[in-house]
Amino acid sequence: MPERAERIARAAKLLWEAERPVRVLRTISWPPEVKEEFFGRGARELPKVSYPALDPGPTLALASEARALADGDGAVDRWLARQADAISAGARMLAGAGTPEFHRHSARLYGRPADPQPDGVSAAIDLARRVEETLDSMHAFDLGAPPPACHLASAVADRMREAAERHFGAKAPEVVVVDRLSANALASPRVIRVRRTACFTDRDVDQLIQHEALVHVATSLNGQAQSELPILGSGHPGTTRTQEGLAVFAELVTGNMDVDRLHRLADRVLAIQMAIDGADFLEVYRFFLEHTEEGQAYENARRVFR
């Protein structure tokens, strides 16, 4: 292997080792007991949440070593340096969970709703407000009731299992129903998890197949096939914006993005801006309560604050 290729492969493997402890959703997940206590107190008090401490030292050291190897001026070297920076920021972010440092690093990694988009003019918050105004103006029209959320997690798991096996064959991930999960469903190359207490509509199921299986799983399997560059198969803070952007885009272009889902995404952006501007959990929970029932309003607010 040529010297440059060896250097790049070494840097990629160091980054793969560096990112392994940086598990964002796992580290900042809220246990079900927090929700039970919140509603047990009449949804009038702020949730009490504690986070495990993460020592960022080992990750920062490995990322620094990888960054030193990515010292060329080519596109690959610049990409490796960006991954090293993102993984380092992710480790620092988790080390600061529960403090203002978490927000500082998360804003650097993921951006904020009011940050300019690549065109230098528009911002996500502007798009969210426009979507909200458009959808609110449609209330005068009868668009029909949304489909009932009648599919239980076990039935959804069966549908997702069929889709995964059809598309990935022997490499299809296992699909399991679990009691605790930070979202309704989460995917990795080896397993797709569906939360037992969640209920789904027909459109939800199709969205999840596009989002979790045909983007998150597919891109991870493709990355893992690149044996000399294992970092390509890893999901870390440096990949989140692209991964989630692709996943939502897949829902849209396949015709599985319905009005309710679009409204939820817009509300999420608005709620994040509310929190940045100083709103607490109760205020954001009540904002979501204007559009949905108590349990879902809590889950939406939890996604903003966790």
Side-chain angles (χ1 to χ4, degrees), residues 23 67 195 215 249 283 305:
R23 292 293 174 262
R67 191 184 295 105
R195 183 158 53 85
V215 172
F249 181 68
E283 291 171 298
F305 281 89

Side-chain angles (χ1 to χ4, degrees), residues 85-135:
D85 290 344
I87 291 167
S88 297
R92 291 189 174 99
M93 179 180 73
L94 293 184
T99 76
E101 283 296 291
F102 185 93
H103 174 252
R104 187 170 73 85
H105 290 295
S106 69
R108 175 185 170 192
L109 282 165
Y110 311 123
R112 291 167 291 197
D115 289 347
Q117 294 296 298
D119 64 4
V121 178
S122 59
I125 190 69
D126 299 324
L127 177 59
R129 287 169 178 154
R130 192 178 311 160
V131 168
E132 192 90 347
E133 290 169 4
T134 301
L135 296 181

Side-chain angles (χ1 to χ4, degrees), residues 278-291:
D280 64 19
F281 183 93
L282 291 174
E283 291 171 298
V284 171
Y285 166 73
R286 290 163 186 154
F287 164 75
F288 282 119
L289 203 56
E290 296 174 7
H291 303 109

Side-chain angles (χ1 to χ4, degrees), residues 138-139 141-150 201-203 258-261 264:
M138 296 167 62
H139 285 169
F141 302 94
D142 183 8
L143 301 177
C150 57
T201 69
D202 287 325
R203 190 58 60 85
D258 60 10
V259 170
D260 292 326
R261 168 70 165 161
R264 290 199 304 272

Side-chain angles (χ1 to χ4, degrees), residues 229-268:
L229 301 172
I231 189 60
L232 288 173
S234 299
H236 59 79
T239 69
T240 303
R241 294 178 73 172
T242 301
Q243 280 285 319
E244 294 305 321
L246 282 173
V248 171
F249 181 68
E251 296 176 34
L252 183 65
V253 297
T254 57
N256 290 301
M257 175 74 74
D258 60 10
V259 170
D260 292 326
R261 168 70 165 161
L262 188 59
H263 210 164
R264 290 199 304 272
L265 292 174
D267 279 350
R268 216 175 275 175

